[in-house]
Amino acid sequence: MTARGIRTGQDARDTEDADDFDVEEVLALVKEDNGHAAADHMSAHAAQGGHHGAPHKPEHKQDARHRATPWPQAREIAARAPHSASPGARRAPASVPLDAALGLTLAAPLTALTDLPSFDTSAMDGWAVAGPGPWDVRDEGVLAGHSEPEPLTDGEAVRIATGARIPPDTTAVLRSEHGRTDDKGHLHATREIVHGQDIRPRGQECRSGDQLLPVGTVVTPAVLGLAAAAGYDTVTAVPRPRVDVLVLGDELLTEGTPHDGLIRDALGPMLPPWLRALGAEVTAVRRLGDDAKALRKAITSSDADLIVTTGGTAAGPVDHVHPTLQRLGAELLVNGVEVRPGHPMLLARTKANQHLVGLPGNPLAAVSGLLTLAEPLLRTLAARPVPEPYTLPLMGEAHGHPYDTRLIPVVLRGDRAVPLHYNGPAMLRGIAVADALAVVPPGGARPGQETELLDLPWAAAGIGVCFT
């Protein structure tokens, strides 16, 4: 039987409604570009796993509602989970200062507040000239940041700096390297000049009111620059999802070397920056040990959008996550995933506006759960676009699980993906040097076989960019 108050993933999907966030325009635009690709990816993955020689998974006698969820389906459930939140749980857009907006998604169009440039400016250092040469040169030059200079008359020139306002009646800007002065102080052009040369006219890039960027644009450093140039101090964006991390386990040390049956906590240092790389704001990291009461209190007192727990997702004597969720009346959306490592991961809705991802305690298994369930859910909460699926041929064989998807760390060498050693559930040596995870279908993959890859955020963006 299904425990009272806990609905399975299928039950949850059957009762989903069409409600969305206040930022539904953002999500609609993002989904329009990526929804078909995601659906095609799921179909292709299912075909890859079921029609290319993979062993047929035997039917289990357990209740179908308790059967682990196929990996592509689990990721899709996680991505859709925020959509079914009640109307009162919708996340409103926020006005965010530019220095805090990197990586967010625009929830309102970026519209030009002024013409760009807002006045005629010089594109080069040189002379502003009027009429044909030679020209008499004024004593005082024109610098950037100064008020509008006096008009020029035919036969007159004035020194001008890049970005400075063009004097009225200027014909062109003569570059410094294209002019010379004679012994009488007259300026001569060493090359032919044309009307308007090296002048950036007002409104060349945009006019006030023009839409510069649409809803759904991810804020990059270049977007910040454009927003500032257009006169913005803040942008309207989807706020970062807030995440609380709960580290479980009495056997975990926070410092020193392992001893006397105790091991170092690897997930406490690893998960917060990884979650930030996925666009989240980590609001708390708490170490609770194997304490059911403390776990329940931490969950019920959290106001985060997502709670991530580590360990305690199996059925051992101190695995408290399932019983705690049951007592809280949580809605279980995913209860185990057909993936290795990381099989005993879970996804639950604890409140209308809050979800919990339970990660296994083994480090690489936890990474698998993070990318399987937390990444799609956070992506939806942040209104980020779905990454474009891609494949590369493997350089070498990748051993697979007989029935489940397997995620294996790889490095990229040219147009090939090289599987790494040290890819067991408790190992981090492989993922520490990896560029991506290869999605290996049931039964494994042959050398040269095209295999889907999941990029690791720092591999593409760089440490200084993604960890903001």
Side-chain angles (χ1 to χ4, degrees):
M1 292 180 61
T2 303
R4 181 179 63 83
I6 298 184
R7 286 182 284 171
T8 65
Q10 185 61 55
D11 295 332
R13 291 191 300 278
D14 290 343
T15 58
E16 282 181 350
D17 54 38
D19 289 328
D20 211 336
F21 304 145
D22 281 342
V23 293
E24 62 268 18
E25 188 180 4
V26 186
L27 294 170
L29 275 171
V30 172
K31 289 171 65 181
E32 181 180 343
D33 292 335
N34 298 279
H36 295 299
D40 293 344
H41 157 63
M42 284 184 62
S43 300
H45 188 95
Q48 184 185 38
H51 301 287
H52 292 285
H56 176 69
K57 187 168 186 176
E59 292 294 329
H60 297 291
K61 294 183 179 180
Q62 62 180 336
D63 191 313
R65 290 175 297 179
H66 293 135
R67 193 173 300 153
T69 305
W71 183 77
Q73 186 180 348
R75 298 194 85 215
E76 181 65 17
I77 292 171
R80 290 184 301 149
H83 290 188
S84 58
S86 65
R90 293 177 175 179
R91 304 173 72 238
S95 180
V96 183
L98 295 187
D99 61 3
L102 182 64
L104 300 185
T105 300
L106 294 183
L110 194 73
T111 302
L113 302 178
T114 182
D115 296 344
L116 284 182
S118 54
F119 47 83
D120 293 349
T121 64
S122 177
M124 302 294 294
D125 291 335
W127 296 269
V129 300
W135 302 273
D136 292 325
V137 182
R138 286 183 185 172
D139 293 334
E140 292 187 5
V142 181
L143 302 177
H146 289 221
S147 58
E148 185 176 54
E150 293 294 320
L152 292 176
T153 58
D154 281 356
E156 191 175 25
V158 64
R159 270 302 242 184
I160 194 166
T162 301
R165 295 176 66 126
I166 295 292
D169 301 324
T170 294
T171 301
V173 170
L174 177 66
R175 300 185 185 189
S176 296
E177 61 269 28
H178 296 163
R180 63 173 181 83
T181 54
D182 59 25
D183 54 4
K184 295 182 179 180
H186 295 135
L187 174 66
H188 299 263
T190 59
R191 292 190 183 183
E192 182 182 357
I193 61 173
V194 297
H195 192 279
Q197 176 178 303
D198 288 324
I199 295 175
R200 292 188 64 214
R202 176 173 181 161
Q204 182 184 52
E205 187 167 2
C206 66
R207 289 290 183 180
S208 179
D210 286 353
Q211 179 174 298
L212 303 176
L213 296 170
V215 167
T217 300
V218 176
V219 178
T220 64
V223 170
L224 293 174
L226 176 60
Y232 283 84
D233 301 315
T234 64
V235 292
T236 302
V238 182
R240 299 184 196 280
R242 295 163 300 139
V243 181
D244 285 350
V245 178
L246 307 180
V247 181
L248 312 181
D250 289 339
E251 74 280 14
L252 301 177
L253 295 168
T254 58
E255 59 183 13
T257 56
H259 61 86
D260 300 325
L262 302 176
I263 61 174
R264 278 296 297 270
D265 169 28
L267 298 182
M270 179 173 71
L271 290 180
W274 203 317
L275 289 162
R276 285 192 287 269
L278 296 176
E281 175 190 354
V282 179
T283 47
V285 180
R286 302 181 58 189
R287 290 174 170 83
L288 304 181
D290 292 317
D291 187 329
K293 290 183 179 179
L295 175 60
R296 180 172 182 172
K297 182 178 179 181
I299 294 174
T300 56
S301 63
S302 173
D303 61 357
D305 301 299
L306 173 64
I307 300 170
V308 174
T309 63
T310 69
T313 56
V318 292
D319 290 334
H320 300 303
V321 176
H322 279 93
T324 299
L325 292 175
Q326 179 178 336
R327 285 192 293 271
L328 293 176
E331 181 183 354
L332 198 58
L333 305 178
V334 174
N335 187 10
V337 177
E338 293 175 357
V339 66
R340 308 292 170 143
H343 171 79
M345 66 182 73
L346 64 87
L347 170 64
R349 181 173 293 125
T350 50
K351 301 174 186 175
N353 60 342
Q354 184 183 78
H355 292 82
L356 182 146
V357 168
L359 303 178
N362 277 325
L364 190 58
V367 169
S368 174
L370 188 71
L371 297 183
T372 300
L373 298 178
E375 186 275 331
L377 190 144
L378 288 171
R379 185 195 330 126
T380 298
L381 286 174
R384 286 187 171 189
V386 180
E388 190 70 25
Y390 77 102
T391 65
L392 283 179
L394 290 179
M395 184 181 292
E397 183 178 7
H399 298 289
H401 186 271
Y403 314 119
D404 296 347
T405 299
R406 190 165 177 230
L407 302 182
I408 296 178
V410 296
V411 291
L412 307 184
R413 295 291 182 263
D415 60 352
R416 299 268 172 165
V418 183
L420 293 167
H421 298 295
Y422 305 108
N423 53 33
M427 298 180 179
L428 288 175
R429 284 184 66 178
I431 194 70
V433 297
D435 297 313
L437 287 173
V439 182
V440 178
R446 304 177 306 276
Q449 181 173 331
E450 290 281 337
T451 305
E452 181 188 352
L453 298 180
L454 301 177
D455 275 332
L456 301 178
W458 50 86
I463 293 291
V465 173
C466 69
F467 289 95
T468 55

